[in-house]
Amino acid sequence: MGYNIPQKIIKEHLVSGEMIAGEEISIRIDQTLTQDSTGTMAYLQFEAMGIPRVKTKRSMAYIDHNTIQAGFENADDHKYIQTVTAKHGIYFSRPGNGICHQVQLERFAVPGMTLLGSDSHTPTAGGIGCLAIGAGGLDVAVAMGGGAYYLMMPKVVKINLTGKLNEWVSAKDIILEVLRKLSVKGGVGKIVEYAGEGVKYLSVPERATITNMGAELGATTSIFPSDETTREFLKAQGREQDFSEIKPDEDAVYDEELTIDLTRLEPLAAKPHSPDNVEEIKNIGKIKVDQVAIGSCTNSSYLDMMKVAKILKGRTVAPNVSLVIAPGSKQVLTMLAQNGALADMVAAGARILESACGPCIGMGQSPCTDAVSLRTFNRNFEGRSGTKSAKVYLVSPETAAVSALTGVLTDPREFGECPKVEMPEKFVAYDNMVLAPAASQEDVEVVRGPNIKPFPLNSELKEKICGKALIKVGDNITTDHIMPSNAKLLPYRSNVPYLAEFCLTPCDPDFPKRAKENGGGFIIAGSNYGQGSSREHAALAPLQLGIKGVIAKSFARIHMANLINSGILPMTFTNEADYDRIDMNDELLIENAVGQVKSGELITVINSTKGYSFEVKVSLSERQVEMILAGGLINYTRLNAK
Ligand code: MIC
Ligand code: SF4
């Protein structure tokens, strides 16, 4: 029996376990990446491990999220990351060099390698045939130290792309269609491999748009084959030596298959407030638009920006629209500046932002009250833009640019002639904003600003766990709900005690207070709890508030791993009706917790307030059981090092 692409790469990197879907495996990691808002924590954890130099083929630290510098905190964190990376063998991508995923794709990702990144959109590098996975900072710290990355062997879904896209329909519309078909939880426990004749018509950055937003499916990762298009891209980046062909075996087997006929696709939008709430633009109608934002790790490539520039050229942004554009990298921005496209954007009235995440993570450009904002980004969760009442629609760069001119949501096919953009034969590839690590550790002193506070550590699991159901939330709660990120909070990513004051406040402003008054307790949630980002702060802040366990209908992958790494027990209802029976403030009790977790069987939870008990499932590998018993990954590692 032949192998599909993920199986081939996993097999080459397998450290332990068997490649059977649902079984725990561990793999060797070739490359890692961090960004600044998860990076401070990852490097604090790396330092705590006491390993002098990273053991990967290449580890990168990007500064791209937290760049506004409204106070000293951002710059302090950047200085810390710059010095700690220089000391321990990590390459440092300076602020201004671009969004981590865009730069990694252009300059460093390698087909057939494994990449672990402390950001959920790390799978962007799947566009070049790299097996790229998002994880919590602690898992990335372990990988930097040469430790294997543990995950449940995913199922592999093949998505066949047949036919060719019509004019004005783009890669963004493909992934929006996949999201419409599979939903924001349809990819949990799965890797998506793209195949079919449609693949050859997609450039590497277009493939990367698709694998990027595979994160919104909840998928472990998404991947394209590495073919002649990949070779051409790498050659144009001056790194043809990184190319190798990666394709599935002829007789490869898949767990699921789905076909998307590209010829039938039309321009789509994800409506508020979920990336899978997808509809044809022509059916949504011409709603008035207040803001258009173009950029993010999903749609900020040279190709995307050139299409936008051509649409804007010689025209003016509608009076009711604020158009902001953030080219994804210094490479893209330089090329736009050199060929005049930047001037066309500026002349049309676009506000050019630095090459960073910016509005995607609420770092500026929050829309006005009740605004309609069209964004080429990947997430439109309620409040993520920084304005709770804003209605964010996720669209392609073409739709965004055309709508910025008309002032209403517009099907780009109405615009007229479709802009043609060729992939350049040579990109401006000059890595002068990437600093190599110091040759000797002794040469570097790590600089720590006053914003860096110690992170919370759990203690070993108690025999008896009790506490109130401190909050009860519904389905698809995102990490943006659990640990909001915006211009006010992002500067505090290395200050968990401060962040904890905002934990789950979008759902209930009193949650932190209640948690503290009760000395901690439980979180009750619906399905797909913790979808979205990789931020481990969504586990560390609850830990800081004394949360002992989360009982949910189901969990998103990275968040569940982060809970376990923090020693917080993730439990799932065996009978969903039990979710309905619990009310906030019910007193819950788990007796003989250690024995019950060890047994690997169902756990009995007593609802002392209502006088009944119910069973929950704890699906943990043996290693994860040990981690929970020890009180998280750091304690587990320390215990095992003795
Ligand atoms: C996001 O898009 O939500 C982020 C900000 O990039 C996060 C990482 C973080 O919270 O720092 C992600 O996707 O993992
Ligand atoms: Fe940055 Fe947005 Fe991409 Fe996250 S999704 S890495 S915030 S651009």
Side-chain angles (χ1 to χ4, degrees), residues 35-39 65 101 118-121 135 216 297 357 360-361 378-379 381 384 479-480 483 485 490 493 532-537 558:
Q35 38 86 342
D36 48 328
S37 62
T38 53
H65 278 63
H101 309 303
S118 64
D119 191 281
S120 65
H121 290 104
E216 276 52 70
C297 56
C357 301
C360 179
I361 188 58
N378 46 40
R379 291 186 173 143
F381 304 144
R384 182 174 160 100
T479 50
D480 283 326
M483 195 58 265
S485 255
L490 209 56
R493 284 296 185 90
S533 95
S534 68
R535 70 188 68 134
E536 57 197 335
H537 305 75
I558 308 180

PDB file of all heavy atoms in Angstrom, residues 35-39 65 101 118-121 135 216 297 357 360-361 378-379 381 384 479-480 483 485 490 493 532-537 558, ligand 1:
ATOM      1  N   GLN A  35       6.675  33.784  16.690  1.00  0.00           N
ATOM      2  CA  GLN A  35       6.469  35.213  16.441  1.00  0.00           C
ATOM      3  C   GLN A  35       6.492  35.899  17.805  1.00  0.00           C
ATOM      4  O   GLN A  35       6.515  35.230  18.842  1.00  0.00           O
ATOM      5  CB  GLN A  35       5.185  35.443  15.620  1.00  0.00           C
ATOM      6  CG  GLN A  35       4.002  34.544  15.966  1.00  0.00           C
ATOM      7  CD  GLN A  35       3.155  35.035  17.076  1.00  0.00           C
ATOM      8  OE1 GLN A  35       3.574  35.870  17.846  1.00  0.00           O
ATOM      9  NE2 GLN A  35       1.954  34.511  17.170  1.00  0.00           N
ATOM     10  N   ASP A  36       6.470  37.220  17.808  1.00  0.00           N
ATOM     11  CA  ASP A  36       6.738  37.906  19.070  1.00  0.00           C
ATOM     12  C   ASP A  36       5.674  37.710  20.132  1.00  0.00           C
ATOM     13  O   ASP A  36       5.991  37.654  21.323  1.00  0.00           O
ATOM     14  CB  ASP A  36       6.974  39.405  18.826  1.00  0.00           C
ATOM     15  CG  ASP A  36       5.925  40.033  17.942  1.00  0.00           C
ATOM     16  OD1 ASP A  36       5.407  39.333  17.056  1.00  0.00           O
ATOM     17  OD2 ASP A  36       5.615  41.219  18.117  1.00  0.00           O
ATOM     18  N   SER A  37       4.398  37.557  19.731  1.00  0.00           N
ATOM     19  CA  SER A  37       3.384  37.521  20.784  1.00  0.00           C
ATOM     20  C   SER A  37       3.281  36.152  21.451  1.00  0.00           C
ATOM     21  O   SER A  37       2.757  36.038  22.553  1.00  0.00           O
ATOM     22  CB  SER A  37       2.029  38.029  20.294  1.00  0.00           C
ATOM     23  OG  SER A  37       1.538  37.235  19.282  1.00  0.00           O
ATOM     24  N   THR A  38       3.763  35.116  20.786  1.00  0.00           N
ATOM     25  CA  THR A  38       3.865  33.827  21.479  1.00  0.00           C
ATOM     26  C   THR A  38       5.323  33.546  21.836  1.00  0.00           C
ATOM     27  O   THR A  38       5.613  32.669  22.653  1.00  0.00           O
ATOM     28  CB  THR A  38       3.360  32.667  20.596  1.00  0.00           C
ATOM     29  OG1 THR A  38       4.059  32.731  19.353  1.00  0.00           O
ATOM     30  CG2 THR A  38       1.875  32.739  20.362  1.00  0.00           C
ATOM     31  N   GLY A  39       6.213  34.300  21.216  1.00  0.00           N
ATOM     32  CA  GLY A  39       7.648  34.014  21.334  1.00  0.00           C
ATOM     33  C   GLY A  39       8.228  34.300  22.701  1.00  0.00           C
ATOM     34  O   GLY A  39       9.062  33.536  23.193  1.00  0.00           O
ATOM     35  N   HIS A  65       3.801  40.713  15.104  1.00  0.00           N
ATOM     36  CA  HIS A  65       2.453  40.883  15.649  1.00  0.00           C
ATOM     37  C   HIS A  65       2.299  42.189  16.416  1.00  0.00           C
ATOM     38  O   HIS A  65       1.334  42.922  16.259  1.00  0.00           O
ATOM     39  CB  HIS A  65       2.124  39.732  16.604  1.00  0.00           C
ATOM     40  CG  HIS A  65       1.656  38.488  15.917  1.00  0.00           C
ATOM     41  ND1 HIS A  65       2.434  37.786  15.045  1.00  0.00           N
ATOM     42  CD2 HIS A  65       0.474  37.827  15.975  1.00  0.00           C
ATOM     43  CE1 HIS A  65       1.758  36.738  14.597  1.00  0.00           C
ATOM     44  NE2 HIS A  65       0.555  36.740  15.150  1.00  0.00           N
ATOM     45  N   HIS A 101       4.718  34.005   8.414  1.00  0.00           N
ATOM     46  CA  HIS A 101       4.382  32.935   7.469  1.00  0.00           C
ATOM     47  C   HIS A 101       4.742  33.306   6.031  1.00  0.00           C
ATOM     48  O   HIS A 101       5.140  32.458   5.240  1.00  0.00           O
ATOM     49  CB  HIS A 101       2.902  32.580   7.584  1.00  0.00           C
ATOM     50  CG  HIS A 101       2.491  32.315   8.995  1.00  0.00           C
ATOM     51  ND1 HIS A 101       3.104  31.351   9.750  1.00  0.00           N
ATOM     52  CD2 HIS A 101       1.579  32.906   9.803  1.00  0.00           C
ATOM     53  CE1 HIS A 101       2.571  31.356  10.966  1.00  0.00           C
ATOM     54  NE2 HIS A 101       1.651  32.291  11.022  1.00  0.00           N
ATOM     55  N   SER A 118       4.951  28.467  16.643  1.00  0.00           N
ATOM     56  CA  SER A 118       4.040  28.867  17.722  1.00  0.00           C
ATOM     57  C   SER A 118       3.039  29.879  17.175  1.00  0.00           C
ATOM     58  O   SER A 118       2.903  30.987  17.668  1.00  0.00           O
ATOM     59  CB  SER A 118       4.822  29.443  18.902  1.00  0.00           C
ATOM     60  OG  SER A 118       5.494  30.620  18.533  1.00  0.00           O
ATOM     61  N   ASP A 119       2.356  29.454  16.141  1.00  0.00           N
ATOM     62  CA  ASP A 119       1.302  30.256  15.546  1.00  0.00           C
ATOM     63  C   ASP A 119       0.431  29.311  14.732  1.00  0.00           C
ATOM     64  O   ASP A 119       0.942  28.448  14.009  1.00  0.00           O
ATOM     65  CB  ASP A 119       1.889  31.345  14.637  1.00  0.00           C
ATOM     66  CG  ASP A 119       0.812  32.332  14.254  1.00  0.00           C
ATOM     67  OD1 ASP A 119      -0.002  32.021  13.352  1.00  0.00           O
ATOM     68  OD2 ASP A 119       0.745  33.410  14.868  1.00  0.00           O
ATOM     69  N   SER A 120      -0.875  29.483  14.846  1.00  0.00           N
ATOM     70  CA  SER A 120      -1.774  28.500  14.224  1.00  0.00           C
ATOM     71  C   SER A 120      -1.711  28.510  12.702  1.00  0.00           C
ATOM     72  O   SER A 120      -2.117  27.541  12.061  1.00  0.00           O
ATOM     73  CB  SER A 120      -3.206  28.743  14.687  1.00  0.00           C
ATOM     74  OG  SER A 120      -3.649  29.998  14.220  1.00  0.00           O
ATOM     75  N   HIS A 121      -1.194  29.605  12.102  1.00  0.00           N
ATOM     76  CA  HIS A 121      -1.136  29.633  10.633  1.00  0.00           C
ATOM     77  C   HIS A 121       0.195  29.154  10.067  1.00  0.00           C
ATOM     78  O   HIS A 121       0.480  29.355   8.877  1.00  0.00           O
ATOM     79  CB  HIS A 121      -1.515  31.023  10.116  1.00  0.00           C
ATOM     80  CG  HIS A 121      -2.969  31.285  10.331  1.00  0.00           C
ATOM     81  ND1 HIS A 121      -3.435  32.109  11.327  1.00  0.00           N
ATOM     82  CD2 HIS A 121      -4.064  30.772   9.721  1.00  0.00           C
ATOM     83  CE1 HIS A 121      -4.753  32.098  11.318  1.00  0.00           C
ATOM     84  NE2 HIS A 121      -5.164  31.297  10.352  1.00  0.00           N
ATOM     85  N   ALA A 135       1.541  25.057  16.966  1.00  0.00           N
ATOM     86  CA  ALA A 135       1.518  24.459  18.311  1.00  0.00           C
ATOM     87  C   ALA A 135       1.690  25.544  19.352  1.00  0.00           C
ATOM     88  O   ALA A 135       2.018  26.683  19.022  1.00  0.00           O
ATOM     89  CB  ALA A 135       2.648  23.434  18.437  1.00  0.00           C
ATOM     90  N   GLU A 216      -8.360  27.345   9.817  1.00  0.00           N
ATOM     91  CA  GLU A 216      -9.756  27.652  10.185  1.00  0.00           C
ATOM     92  C   GLU A 216     -10.648  26.411  10.116  1.00  0.00           C
ATOM     93  O   GLU A 216     -11.768  26.418  10.635  1.00  0.00           O
ATOM     94  CB  GLU A 216     -10.304  28.771   9.279  1.00  0.00           C
ATOM     95  CG  GLU A 216      -9.949  30.159   9.757  1.00  0.00           C
ATOM     96  CD  GLU A 216      -8.476  30.378  10.031  1.00  0.00           C
ATOM     97  OE1 GLU A 216      -7.674  30.416   9.082  1.00  0.00           O
ATOM     98  OE2 GLU A 216      -8.103  30.494  11.212  1.00  0.00           O
ATOM     99  N   CYS A 297      -1.313  37.143   6.772  1.00  0.00           N
ATOM    100  CA  CYS A 297      -0.566  35.999   6.252  1.00  0.00           C
ATOM    101  C   CYS A 297      -1.348  35.217   5.210  1.00  0.00           C
ATOM    102  O   CYS A 297      -0.804  34.350   4.541  1.00  0.00           O
ATOM    103  CB  CYS A 297      -0.135  35.097   7.408  1.00  0.00           C
ATOM    104  SG  CYS A 297      -1.486  34.537   8.445  1.00  0.00           S
ATOM    105  N   CYS A 357       1.261  42.016  11.025  1.00  0.00           N
ATOM    106  CA  CYS A 357      -0.114  41.506  11.166  1.00  0.00           C
ATOM    107  C   CYS A 357      -1.125  42.647  11.273  1.00  0.00           C
ATOM    108  O   CYS A 357      -2.232  42.562  10.744  1.00  0.00           O
ATOM    109  CB  CYS A 357      -0.223  40.639  12.404  1.00  0.00           C
ATOM    110  SG  CYS A 357       0.890  39.241  12.403  1.00  0.00           S
ATOM    111  N   CYS A 360      -5.202  42.577  11.534  1.00  0.00           N
ATOM    112  CA  CYS A 360      -5.672  41.186  11.637  1.00  0.00           C
ATOM    113  C   CYS A 360      -5.781  40.756  13.093  1.00  0.00           C
ATOM    114  O   CYS A 360      -6.635  39.960  13.455  1.00  0.00           O
ATOM    115  CB  CYS A 360      -4.742  40.274  10.868  1.00  0.00           C
ATOM    116  SG  CYS A 360      -5.210  38.561  10.950  1.00  0.00           S
ATOM    117  N   ILE A 361      -4.885  41.296  13.929  1.00  0.00           N
ATOM    118  CA  ILE A 361      -4.928  40.933  15.345  1.00  0.00           C
ATOM    119  C   ILE A 361      -5.343  42.144  16.188  1.00  0.00           C
ATOM    120  O   ILE A 361      -5.052  42.250  17.386  1.00  0.00           O
ATOM    121  CB  ILE A 361      -3.600  40.251  15.780  1.00  0.00           C
ATOM    122  CG1 ILE A 361      -3.657  39.671  17.187  1.00  0.00           C
ATOM    123  CG2 ILE A 361      -2.389  41.133  15.567  1.00  0.00           C
ATOM    124  CD1 ILE A 361      -4.737  38.661  17.396  1.00  0.00           C
ATOM    125  N   ASN A 378      -8.043  35.914   7.638  1.00  0.00           N
ATOM    126  CA  ASN A 378      -8.521  34.535   7.790  1.00  0.00           C
ATOM    127  C   ASN A 378      -9.536  34.337   8.917  1.00  0.00           C
ATOM    128  O   ASN A 378     -10.135  33.283   9.032  1.00  0.00           O
ATOM    129  CB  ASN A 378      -7.332  33.583   7.978  1.00  0.00           C
ATOM    130  CG  ASN A 378      -6.338  34.121   9.000  1.00  0.00           C
ATOM    131  OD1 ASN A 378      -6.743  34.680  10.020  1.00  0.00           O
ATOM    132  ND2 ASN A 378      -5.056  33.956   8.734  1.00  0.00           N
ATOM    133  N   ARG A 379      -9.675  35.327   9.784  1.00  0.00           N
ATOM    134  CA  ARG A 379     -10.587  35.142  10.927  1.00  0.00           C
ATOM    135  C   ARG A 379     -11.493  36.357  11.056  1.00  0.00           C
ATOM    136  O   ARG A 379     -11.016  37.492  11.026  1.00  0.00           O
ATOM    137  CB  ARG A 379      -9.792  34.976  12.223  1.00  0.00           C
ATOM    138  CG  ARG A 379      -9.062  33.665  12.241  1.00  0.00           C
ATOM    139  CD  ARG A 379      -8.363  33.373  13.546  1.00  0.00           C
ATOM    140  NE  ARG A 379      -7.846  32.015  13.462  1.00  0.00           N
ATOM    141  CZ  ARG A 379      -6.702  31.597  13.963  1.00  0.00           C
ATOM    142  NH1 ARG A 379      -5.938  32.431  14.639  1.00  0.00           N
ATOM    143  NH2 ARG A 379      -6.324  30.351  13.823  1.00  0.00           N
ATOM    144  N   PHE A 381     -13.861  36.447  13.721  1.00  0.00           N
ATOM    145  CA  PHE A 381     -14.547  36.213  14.995  1.00  0.00           C
ATOM    146  C   PHE A 381     -15.029  37.545  15.566  1.00  0.00           C
ATOM    147  O   PHE A 381     -14.342  38.569  15.435  1.00  0.00           O
ATOM    148  CB  PHE A 381     -13.598  35.563  16.005  1.00  0.00           C
ATOM    149  CG  PHE A 381     -12.974  34.280  15.529  1.00  0.00           C
ATOM    150  CD1 PHE A 381     -11.669  33.959  15.880  1.00  0.00           C
ATOM    151  CD2 PHE A 381     -13.678  33.378  14.740  1.00  0.00           C
ATOM    152  CE1 PHE A 381     -11.077  32.773  15.468  1.00  0.00           C
ATOM    153  CE2 PHE A 381     -13.098  32.187  14.316  1.00  0.00           C
ATOM    154  CZ  PHE A 381     -11.791  31.890  14.681  1.00  0.00           C
ATOM    155  N   ARG A 384     -12.768  40.493  17.227  1.00  0.00           N
ATOM    156  CA  ARG A 384     -11.335  40.349  16.945  1.00  0.00           C
ATOM    157  C   ARG A 384     -10.744  41.625  16.328  1.00  0.00           C
ATOM    158  O   ARG A 384      -9.574  41.937  16.519  1.00  0.00           O
ATOM    159  CB  ARG A 384     -11.105  39.149  16.022  1.00  0.00           C
ATOM    160  CG  ARG A 384      -9.639  38.882  15.705  1.00  0.00           C
ATOM    161  CD  ARG A 384      -9.504  37.581  14.906  1.00  0.00           C
ATOM    162  NE  ARG A 384      -8.260  37.507  14.190  1.00  0.00           N
ATOM    163  CZ  ARG A 384      -7.179  36.821  14.580  1.00  0.00           C
ATOM    164  NH1 ARG A 384      -7.219  36.130  15.684  1.00  0.00           N
ATOM    165  NH2 ARG A 384      -6.084  36.801  13.855  1.00  0.00           N
ATOM    166  N   THR A 479     -10.097  31.140  20.954  1.00  0.00           N
ATOM    167  CA  THR A 479      -9.090  31.606  21.909  1.00  0.00           C
ATOM    168  C   THR A 479      -9.130  33.129  22.007  1.00  0.00           C
ATOM    169  O   THR A 479      -8.631  33.694  22.972  1.00  0.00           O
ATOM    170  CB  THR A 479      -7.678  31.140  21.508  1.00  0.00           C
ATOM    171  OG1 THR A 479      -7.484  31.477  20.149  1.00  0.00           O
ATOM    172  CG2 THR A 479      -7.502  29.658  21.692  1.00  0.00           C
ATOM    173  N   ASP A 480      -9.709  33.784  21.002  1.00  0.00           N
ATOM    174  CA  ASP A 480      -9.895  35.243  21.112  1.00  0.00           C
ATOM    175  C   ASP A 480     -10.928  35.576  22.200  1.00  0.00           C
ATOM    176  O   ASP A 480     -10.901  36.664  22.768  1.00  0.00           O
ATOM    177  CB  ASP A 480     -10.358  35.847  19.777  1.00  0.00           C
ATOM    178  CG  ASP A 480      -9.210  35.972  18.771  1.00  0.00           C
ATOM    179  OD1 ASP A 480      -8.081  36.230  19.200  1.00  0.00           O
ATOM    180  OD2 ASP A 480      -9.458  35.790  17.572  1.00  0.00           O
ATOM    181  N   MET A 483      -8.747  34.344  25.648  1.00  0.00           N
ATOM    182  CA  MET A 483      -7.670  35.297  25.975  1.00  0.00           C
ATOM    183  C   MET A 483      -7.604  36.338  24.869  1.00  0.00           C
ATOM    184  O   MET A 483      -6.868  36.193  23.902  1.00  0.00           O
ATOM    185  CB  MET A 483      -6.333  34.540  26.093  1.00  0.00           C
ATOM    186  CG  MET A 483      -5.244  35.359  26.762  1.00  0.00           C
ATOM    187  SD  MET A 483      -5.650  35.928  28.414  1.00  0.00           S
ATOM    188  CE  MET A 483      -6.282  37.569  28.174  1.00  0.00           C
ATOM    189  N   SER A 485      -6.962  39.325  22.341  1.00  0.00           N
ATOM    190  CA  SER A 485      -5.726  39.981  21.911  1.00  0.00           C
ATOM    191  C   SER A 485      -6.117  41.221  21.145  1.00  0.00           C
ATOM    192  O   SER A 485      -6.888  41.130  20.212  1.00  0.00           O
ATOM    193  CB  SER A 485      -4.963  39.058  20.975  1.00  0.00           C
ATOM    194  OG  SER A 485      -3.880  38.493  21.624  1.00  0.00           O
ATOM    195  N   LEU A 490      -2.147  42.920  23.716  1.00  0.00           N
ATOM    196  CA  LEU A 490      -1.028  42.200  23.101  1.00  0.00           C
ATOM    197  C   LEU A 490       0.328  42.551  23.732  1.00  0.00           C
ATOM    198  O   LEU A 490       1.192  41.678  23.855  1.00  0.00           O
ATOM    199  CB  LEU A 490      -1.014  42.457  21.587  1.00  0.00           C
ATOM    200  CG  LEU A 490      -0.431  41.334  20.725  1.00  0.00           C
ATOM    201  CD1 LEU A 490      -1.125  40.015  20.965  1.00  0.00           C
ATOM    202  CD2 LEU A 490      -0.504  41.697  19.250  1.00  0.00           C
ATOM    203  N   ARG A 493       1.875  39.979  26.639  1.00  0.00           N
ATOM    204  CA  ARG A 493       1.983  38.543  26.453  1.00  0.00           C
ATOM    205  C   ARG A 493       3.032  37.883  27.354  1.00  0.00           C
ATOM    206  O   ARG A 493       3.068  36.670  27.480  1.00  0.00           O
ATOM    207  CB  ARG A 493       2.268  38.228  24.988  1.00  0.00           C
ATOM    208  CG  ARG A 493       1.056  38.354  24.068  1.00  0.00           C
ATOM    209  CD  ARG A 493       0.001  37.338  24.445  1.00  0.00           C
ATOM    210  NE  ARG A 493      -1.120  37.372  23.509  1.00  0.00           N
ATOM    211  CZ  ARG A 493      -1.190  36.645  22.411  1.00  0.00           C
ATOM    212  NH1 ARG A 493      -0.204  35.847  22.088  1.00  0.00           N
ATOM    213  NH2 ARG A 493      -2.243  36.737  21.637  1.00  0.00           N
ATOM    214  N   GLY A 532      -9.159  28.355  16.841  1.00  0.00           N
ATOM    215  CA  GLY A 532      -8.439  29.570  16.464  1.00  0.00           C
ATOM    216  C   GLY A 532      -6.963  29.479  16.772  1.00  0.00           C
ATOM    217  O   GLY A 532      -6.312  28.509  16.390  1.00  0.00           O
ATOM    218  N   SER A 533      -6.482  30.444  17.499  1.00  0.00           N
ATOM    219  CA  SER A 533      -5.040  30.636  17.590  1.00  0.00           C
ATOM    220  C   SER A 533      -4.351  29.578  18.441  1.00  0.00           C
ATOM    221  O   SER A 533      -4.988  28.773  19.125  1.00  0.00           O
ATOM    222  CB  SER A 533      -4.744  32.013  18.178  1.00  0.00           C
ATOM    223  OG  SER A 533      -4.551  31.915  19.568  1.00  0.00           O
ATOM    224  N   SER A 534      -3.030  29.641  18.411  1.00  0.00           N
ATOM    225  CA  SER A 534      -2.212  28.682  19.167  1.00  0.00           C
ATOM    226  C   SER A 534      -1.830  29.229  20.533  1.00  0.00           C
ATOM    227  O   SER A 534      -1.125  28.571  21.278  1.00  0.00           O
ATOM    228  CB  SER A 534      -0.928  28.412  18.384  1.00  0.00           C
ATOM    229  OG  SER A 534      -0.133  29.597  18.384  1.00  0.00           O
ATOM    230  N   ARG A 535      -2.286  30.447  20.846  1.00  0.00           N
ATOM    231  CA  ARG A 535      -1.758  31.123  22.039  1.00  0.00           C
ATOM    232  C   ARG A 535      -1.978  30.297  23.304  1.00  0.00           C
ATOM    233  O   ARG A 535      -3.103  29.953  23.657  1.00  0.00           O
ATOM    234  CB  ARG A 535      -2.361  32.530  22.168  1.00  0.00           C
ATOM    235  CG  ARG A 535      -3.816  32.618  22.523  1.00  0.00           C
ATOM    236  CD  ARG A 535      -4.301  34.055  22.430  1.00  0.00           C
ATOM    237  NE  ARG A 535      -4.300  34.504  21.041  1.00  0.00           N
ATOM    238  CZ  ARG A 535      -5.301  35.161  20.445  1.00  0.00           C
ATOM    239  NH1 ARG A 535      -6.372  35.483  21.119  1.00  0.00           N
ATOM    240  NH2 ARG A 535      -5.236  35.500  19.184  1.00  0.00           N
ATOM    241  N   GLU A 536      -0.866  29.964  23.958  1.00  0.00           N
ATOM    242  CA  GLU A 536      -0.995  29.155  25.173  1.00  0.00           C
ATOM    243  C   GLU A 536      -1.486  30.000  26.332  1.00  0.00           C
ATOM    244  O   GLU A 536      -1.855  29.470  27.381  1.00  0.00           O
ATOM    245  CB  GLU A 536       0.313  28.444  25.497  1.00  0.00           C
ATOM    246  CG  GLU A 536       1.476  29.356  25.660  1.00  0.00           C
ATOM    247  CD  GLU A 536       2.803  28.616  25.572  1.00  0.00           C
ATOM    248  OE1 GLU A 536       2.852  27.417  25.839  1.00  0.00           O
ATOM    249  OE2 GLU A 536       3.804  29.268  25.240  1.00  0.00           O
ATOM    250  N   HIS A 537      -1.518  31.315  26.113  1.00  0.00           N
ATOM    251  CA  HIS A 537      -2.086  32.197  27.135  1.00  0.00           C
ATOM    252  C   HIS A 537      -3.549  31.844  27.406  1.00  0.00           C
ATOM    253  O   HIS A 537      -4.059  32.127  28.483  1.00  0.00           O
ATOM    254  CB  HIS A 537      -1.978  33.649  26.691  1.00  0.00           C
ATOM    255  CG  HIS A 537      -0.565  34.028  26.342  1.00  0.00           C
ATOM    256  ND1 HIS A 537       0.044  33.617  25.181  1.00  0.00           N
ATOM    257  CD2 HIS A 537       0.357  34.727  27.034  1.00  0.00           C
ATOM    258  CE1 HIS A 537       1.289  34.077  25.157  1.00  0.00           C
ATOM    259  NE2 HIS A 537       1.501  34.747  26.271  1.00  0.00           N
ATOM    260  N   ILE A 558      -5.085  22.461  19.078  1.00  0.00           N
ATOM    261  CA  ILE A 558      -3.935  23.114  19.731  1.00  0.00           C
ATOM    262  C   ILE A 558      -4.311  23.527  21.148  1.00  0.00           C
ATOM    263  O   ILE A 558      -3.520  23.393  22.078  1.00  0.00           O
ATOM    264  CB  ILE A 558      -3.437  24.349  18.937  1.00  0.00           C
ATOM    265  CG1 ILE A 558      -3.182  24.002  17.471  1.00  0.00           C
ATOM    266  CG2 ILE A 558      -2.153  24.895  19.568  1.00  0.00           C
ATOM    267  CD1 ILE A 558      -2.683  25.169  16.619  1.00  0.00           C
TER     268      ILE A 558
HETATM  269  C1  MIC B   1      -3.863  34.835  15.432  1.00  0.00           C
HETATM  270  O1  MIC B   1      -3.967  34.949  14.214  1.00  0.00           O
HETATM  271  O2  MIC B   1      -4.833  34.670  16.189  1.00  0.00           O
HETATM  272  C2  MIC B   1      -2.472  34.897  16.048  1.00  0.00           C
HETATM  273  C3  MIC B   1      -2.373  36.156  16.801  1.00  0.00           C
HETATM  274  O3  MIC B   1      -1.505  34.894  15.040  1.00  0.00           O
HETATM  275  C4  MIC B   1      -2.294  33.670  16.949  1.00  0.00           C
HETATM  276  C5  MIC B   1      -1.049  33.685  17.745  1.00  0.00           C
HETATM  277  C6  MIC B   1      -1.128  34.540  18.983  1.00  0.00           C
HETATM  278  O4  MIC B   1      -2.146  34.578  19.637  1.00  0.00           O
HETATM  279  O5  MIC B   1      -0.106  35.165  19.278  1.00  0.00           O
HETATM  280  C7  MIC B   1      -2.338  32.336  16.209  1.00  0.00           C
HETATM  281  O6  MIC B   1      -2.956  32.241  15.170  1.00  0.00           O
HETATM  282  O7  MIC B   1      -1.803  31.333  16.700  1.00  0.00           O
END
